[in-house]
Amino acid sequence: MKYIIEHMEKGFSEWVILEYAQILRDVGFENLILTSLPQGTTQDDIPDKLTQLGLQWSTKDVTHFIPASTPRSRLCLLDPKAEKDLEPSDKQAFDYFIFGGILGSHPPKDRTGVLREKLKCPGRRLGELQMSTDTAVRATKHILDGTRMENLKCIDYPEIRFNKHEATEMPFRYILDGNGRPILPDGMLDLIKKDTERTLDDFF
Ligand code: SAM
């Protein structure tokens, strides 16, 4: 278990499910735990897609989940406000990499600050722009596998165009795939299109 996501959203929205599902595919279910689910959560409350991918979860919050024998100095909070960027050598320095299970807002609200206060552990940044949680986990994995942050091929605030008339800007930094396209969770493009159409319907 290497990656911990402290769930900080209410429930499981479609966006959150797609992000968590992609993280599970990227890092493997054995390397991830989702902490801080509401007390009383049962397996039936976990979305099928995440259960099928083997999601491990806990109602404990991250501070109670981590064994008391692990010193705070071995925990790394991925924090957009940290002073140092994550480096490949940090793989040896830390046992757990912790992320906020937060859907980003624009401008960013620093909800990661709640974790900063709670954990009081070292923090590392992944560049100066906010990433979606799945992108942050993907970037962390690449860096721990040896690629420096500055060598990750990224795009900032990409425009997702559906047709001549419809486009939406994503206010995040994304990693690019081999074809130069931003990597989004499977199913996210369809969901964004659906949400855009809903917003337009509400507007007219
Ligand atoms: N603006 C948001 C906030 O309220 O803090 C950022 C949330 S971001 C969508 C979700 C998580 O991804 C963060 O809690 C953090 O763990 C990680 N993350 C995203 N961008 C990051 C960056 N540039 N550096 C370090 N961690 C980042």
Side-chain angles (χ1 to χ4, degrees):
M1 191 87 61
K2 191 151 79 176
Y3 301 99
I4 300 181
I5 299 180
E6 175 87 340
H7 185 63
M8 293 170 70
E9 294 293 326
K10 269 211 183 108
F12 288 102
S13 63
E14 285 183 85
W15 277 74
V16 161
I17 296 170
L18 291 185
E19 287 199 6
Y20 291 170
Q22 193 59 47
I23 296 169
L24 283 163
R25 284 188 216 101
D26 287 352
V27 304
F29 71 90
E30 65 282 10
N31 291 315
L32 177 78
I33 179 118
L34 186 64
T35 52
S36 233
L37 293 191
Q39 290 302 323
T41 299
T42 68
Q43 192 61 44
D44 287 345
D45 299 315
I46 307 296
D48 288 346
K49 192 189 267 281
L50 301 181
T51 300
Q52 281 155 16
L53 288 164
L55 176 74
Q56 304 186 71
W57 56 272
S58 174
T59 53
K60 288 184 183 166
D61 92 335
V62 57
T63 50
H64 292 96
F65 175 77
I66 291 166
S69 55
T70 306
R72 290 285 151 134
S73 59
R74 299 289 303 173
L75 313 181
C76 176
L77 173 65
L78 280 299
D79 181 356
K81 289 199 181 285
E83 284 171 9
K84 282 173 76 177
D85 276 345
L86 185 71
E87 303 221 5
S89 59
D90 286 326
K91 186 174 184 164
Q92 284 77 45
F94 301 113
D95 295 327
Y96 294 100
F97 295 88
I98 303 163
F99 302 78
I102 299 168
L103 289 175
S105 48
H106 188 65
K109 285 201 186 112
D110 189 28
R111 291 171 64 201
T112 310
V114 174
L115 282 175
R116 196 182 308 127
E117 280 306 302
K118 192 151 82 169
L119 285 160
K120 298 198 176 3
C121 69
R124 291 289 185 270
R125 212 182 59 151
L126 300 160
E128 74 278 13
L129 287 189
Q130 82 167 325
M131 296 171 163
S132 57
T133 309
D134 63 295
T135 307
V137 176
R138 186 171 304 118
T140 299
K141 185 169 187 307
H142 280 306
I143 294 167
L144 299 180
D145 286 346
T147 307
R148 296 185 63 80
M149 180 68 216
E150 60 269 28
N151 294 332
L152 284 181
K153 293 198 173 45
C154 294
I155 183 168
D156 300 338
Y157 296 4
E159 184 186 68
I160 313 276
R161 179 157 289 283
F162 302 110
N163 55 45
K164 229 164 97 183
H165 307 289
E166 291 168 287
T168 187
E169 188 186 78
M170 305 295 288
F172 301 103
R173 172 173 284 172
Y174 289 92
I175 296 177
L176 293 173
D177 68 14
N179 298 316
R181 294 199 198 95
I183 303 176
L184 288 125
D186 277 359
M188 189 59 91
L189 279 179
D190 289 338
L191 183 58
I192 294 170
K193 188 164 185 334
K194 208 168 77 185
D195 279 359
T196 310
E197 283 165 356
R198 201 178 299 142
T199 315
L200 286 173
D201 284 349
D202 289 349
F203 190 69
F204 290 111

